[in-house]
Amino acid sequence: MSRNGTRFIFAAWVFACLPLGVRGEDIPKHPTEIQFPPLDYKLPPASQFRQTLSNGMIVYVAEDRMLPTFDMTITVRVAAALDPPEKAGRAGLAAEQLRDGGTERLAPADFDEEIEFLAANIGSSMDDTSGTIRLSCLSKDIDAALALMNEMLRKPRYDEDRLRLAKERNIQNTKRRNDSTDSISNIEWGFQMNGEDHFSNRYPSSATINTITRDDLIAFHKRYYHPGNMMVAVAGDFDKGEMTKKLEKAFADWPVGETGPTTFPKPTFEPKAGIYMIHKPDVNQGRVTLGHKAIMRGTPDEFALQVMNSILGGGAFRSRLVAKVRSDEGLAYNVGSQFGQGVYYPGDFRCWFQSKSNSCAYATRMVLEEVKRMRDEAPSKVDVDDAVTSIVESFPQRFQTKMALLGTYVNDEYTGRDPKYWQTYVENIKKVTPQDVQRVAKTHLHPDRLVVLTVGNADDVRAGGHDKAPTLKFDEFGTITTLPLRDPDTLRR
């Protein structure tokens, strides 16, 4: 098709999409001139969905008749943080094999077949501070799928053959940790922020995986998987009253055991500012991360910090880092920032990018300049208004489905957040001013505490030589400490 033909079709499509009664002269000349009505999004409170079963189990229930489907998520008060160092990986295997290891009645292959027959999906996973189990199916199969889920939860088989295969697979995965700069950087950053001994850096190795037995998984399951440690969220095409009865029937006669931990230890390690470099000779790009420890969730500055980070690097193409490093200079495809507000211990502030080896120094200088600029200059009202508008107008996207809404409320209750937090979220974001942004930047951004971590071909990265800064070398940012690659299995140097 000719270019003129394509333009004609596009114009016809635009015209067809116009509301009835809109005239040609009413069409804005540029997208920036488009006027939208004010966003008026009212979030239903958590109390509208929260119920308690007779055994004390907390459930969140929401009808969603849009599609003939059913979704269920169970959040379990259990965590990889509970693994002793000598059995790192136990919690992950217990979660994985809860699903993959069959039930007392059904061998793994038979359990798989029952789920596939229903066209359902059941999964089980574990992270550092919680466990998750998910079920999805057609609404006509709710009873059958719930029965399978209940059987899996209460009477797992932990099949020896499936466990052996899972252990072999996990051991193979440990050997690939140094395959990419992304993996190396993420792992090393955790050690730089939280130290060698914190549970967040307790990775399984071939030695710890080989110590884990079927009996370990059974004991772990017996202790932590029970209604007293679970919060359930269900959404879908059902009657709310009937669904509550089904949940009562599924879980009420299951004995409640010992409650899992409600908090986790903070790192005792203090990050040491400096320039750190890991040599990976087989790549032609460097991955640079710089930052320091941030704050806990719930501080008075958290909303201004969200706006600040959006302006700096968290606001996609509107942010300064993306505009300068990616759009203006073309130095990096993936560039951004985050200001983590931790739940159990402080999060991290960090900026990152990946660029050609010879341009890493040039891009790093730009990032450092933008961090300093956030402290030294109050952003314009336009910048703040743009960031606030973006955050406010994307707010409903957090809750696109009923399950996303319930999942947020369950997570808030699990972590102890005020259930009214989201009711006032938009109002609090709208209150942020340019002066607030500069104040929190001065308070919470610390250029003198920055850890700068680079993974790539160290010789080429240090040499610099970008066309726009031919004499700039990475050493000019400070004395470089070379870190040897960690052993991929043990993650020790």
Side-chain angles (χ1 to χ4, degrees):
M1 180 180 294
S2 70
R3 181 176 299 179
N4 287 336
T6 302
R7 288 175 176 171
F8 175 80
I9 292 175
F10 177 74
W13 175 81
V14 170
F15 181 80
C17 291
L18 289 175
L20 291 175
V22 174
R23 298 170 300 176
E25 58 266 27
D26 296 330
I27 301 174
K29 295 180 179 180
H30 191 273
T32 58
E33 299 177 8
I34 298 175
Q35 298 295 317
F36 296 98
L39 179 68
D40 185 22
Y41 178 73
K42 302 297 183 184
L43 192 66
S47 58
Q48 180 175 319
F49 308 101
R50 189 182 188 278
Q51 301 179 48
T52 305
L53 302 184
S54 61
N55 61 359
M57 189 177 191
I58 297 166
V59 298
Y60 284 77
V61 183
E63 294 183 13
D64 185 358
R65 303 286 190 168
M66 184 172 293
L67 295 170
T69 57
F70 171 77
D71 291 291
M72 178 179 192
T73 299
I74 302 177
T75 301
V76 190
R77 198 169 289 284
V78 64
L82 302 173
D83 285 342
E86 66 275 10
K87 286 194 179 288
R90 176 194 59 176
L93 279 171
E96 175 188 321
Q97 293 304 301
L98 178 68
R99 162 60 183 89
D100 292 347
T103 69
E104 291 180 3
R105 179 179 67 91
L106 294 169
D110 296 328
F111 185 67
D112 293 342
E113 186 175 348
E114 294 260 359
I115 295 170
E116 290 170 4
F117 178 77
L118 295 175
N121 183 42
I122 297 178
S124 177
S125 61
M126 184 74 61
D127 66 23
D128 282 347
T129 57
S130 67
T132 305
I133 300 153
R134 290 185 172 87
L135 164 66
S136 61
C137 66
L138 294 174
S139 53
K140 68 181 182 64
D141 297 319
I142 288 176
D143 290 340
L146 268 179
L148 283 173
M149 165 77 89
N150 199 21
E151 182 177 351
M152 178 194 83
L153 285 173
R154 299 175 73 161
K155 298 179 180 180
R157 176 182 293 221
Y158 285 120
D159 181 78
E160 287 277 16
D161 288 338
R162 285 284 179 99
L163 176 57
R164 175 181 54 80
L165 291 173
K167 289 167 67 172
E168 291 174 357
R169 182 172 61 251
N170 285 357
I171 289 172
Q172 290 301 314
N173 289 339
T174 68
K175 299 176 180 179
R176 294 195 288 269
R177 287 173 177 151
N178 287 348
D179 286 0
S180 71
T181 57
D182 186 26
S183 173
I184 296 168
S185 182
N186 285 334
I187 290 172
E188 186 60 38
W189 185 258
F191 283 111
Q192 290 293 326
M193 290 294 106
N194 297 331
E196 301 285 334
D197 300 322
H198 192 248
F199 72 82
S200 61
N201 294 322
R202 191 177 298 157
Y203 291 87
S205 67
S206 57
T208 66
I209 292 170
N210 280 326
T211 67
I212 298 168
T213 66
R214 177 175 180 270
D215 288 342
D216 290 329
L217 305 190
I218 292 172
F220 187 84
H221 172 270
K222 183 177 180 180
R223 180 173 180 181
Y224 293 109
Y225 283 82
H226 59 80
N229 256 0
M230 296 178 177
M231 284 188 282
V232 177
V234 292
D237 182 19
F238 53 70
D239 176 81
K240 186 174 181 179
E242 289 299 317
M243 177 52 60
T244 302
K245 292 177 182 178
K246 292 179 188 293
L247 296 175
E248 182 75 30
K249 180 180 178 181
F251 297 111
D253 65 338
W254 190 357
V256 174
E258 178 184 351
T259 302
T262 58
T263 189
F264 298 91
K266 299 179 180 180
T268 57
F269 176 83
E270 287 294 329
K272 184 179 179 181
I275 315 296
Y276 302 91
M277 194 168 290
I278 297 177
H279 182 47
K280 185 170 171 57
D282 58 338
V283 295
N284 60 9
Q285 292 192 345
R287 189 177 295 272
V288 179
T289 306
L290 60 88
H292 52 64
K293 295 302 290 182
I295 61 172
M296 296 286 288
R297 188 181 72 183
T299 67
D301 291 339
E302 68 173 292
F303 301 103
L305 284 167
Q306 290 182 40
V307 175
M308 180 209 73
N309 182 66
S310 180
I311 295 170
L312 176 61
F317 289 98
R318 297 176 301 96
S319 69
R320 293 176 176 179
L321 292 182
V322 176
K324 191 160 190 177
V325 178
R326 173 176 169 162
S327 300
D328 295 348
E329 298 292 340
L331 298 178
Y333 181 77
N334 182 13
V335 57
S337 71
Q338 69 175 35
F339 198 96
Q341 302 181 31
V343 176
Y344 304 107
Y345 50 90
D348 304 338
F349 160 65
R350 59 173 169 170
C351 306
W352 65 86
F353 66 85
Q354 184 177 6
S355 188
K356 292 180 180 179
S357 300
N358 74 327
S359 59
C360 283
Y362 183 45
T364 298
R365 186 172 70 181
M366 289 183 183
V367 174
L368 293 172
E369 288 171 350
E370 291 302 329
V371 172
K372 184 175 184 297
R373 181 183 167 204
M374 290 301 308
R375 286 173 48 90
D376 295 345
E377 303 174 12
S380 69
K381 188 176 186 303
V382 171
D383 282 350
V384 172
D385 288 348
D386 283 350
V388 167
T389 299
S390 176
I391 294 171
V392 168
E393 293 189 350
S394 64
F395 178 70
Q397 296 176 16
R398 296 172 180 262
F399 313 104
Q400 290 187 47
T401 65
K402 287 288 181 64
M403 182 52 74
L405 175 65
L406 299 190
T408 299
Y409 285 148
V410 167
N411 183 68
D412 285 352
E413 183 160 355
Y414 184 91
T415 59
R417 175 177 258 164
D418 185 339
K420 297 179 181 179
Y421 173 83
W422 297 109
Q423 311 303 317
T424 57
Y425 179 83
V426 169
E427 177 186 345
N428 285 322
I429 289 291
K430 286 182 175 180
K431 291 177 181 177
V432 176
T433 66
Q435 292 71 33
D436 292 330
V437 171
Q438 186 181 20
R439 175 181 56 80
V440 298
K442 281 181 173 292
T443 303
H444 298 287
L445 295 183
H446 306 286
D448 59 323
R449 300 182 194 174
L450 288 175
V451 172
V452 181
L453 173 66
T454 302
V455 181
N457 187 311
D459 296 333
D460 294 343
V461 170
R462 294 181 75 155
H466 187 269
D467 292 346
K468 293 187 178 181
T471 63
L472 178 64
K473 301 182 184 302
F474 217 91
D475 302 63
E476 294 183 24
F477 302 122
T479 302
I480 295 177
T481 300
T482 301
L483 302 175
L485 271 173
R486 294 176 180 271
D487 179 273
D489 182 15
T490 64
L491 292 179
R492 299 298 174 186
R493 299 200 197 280

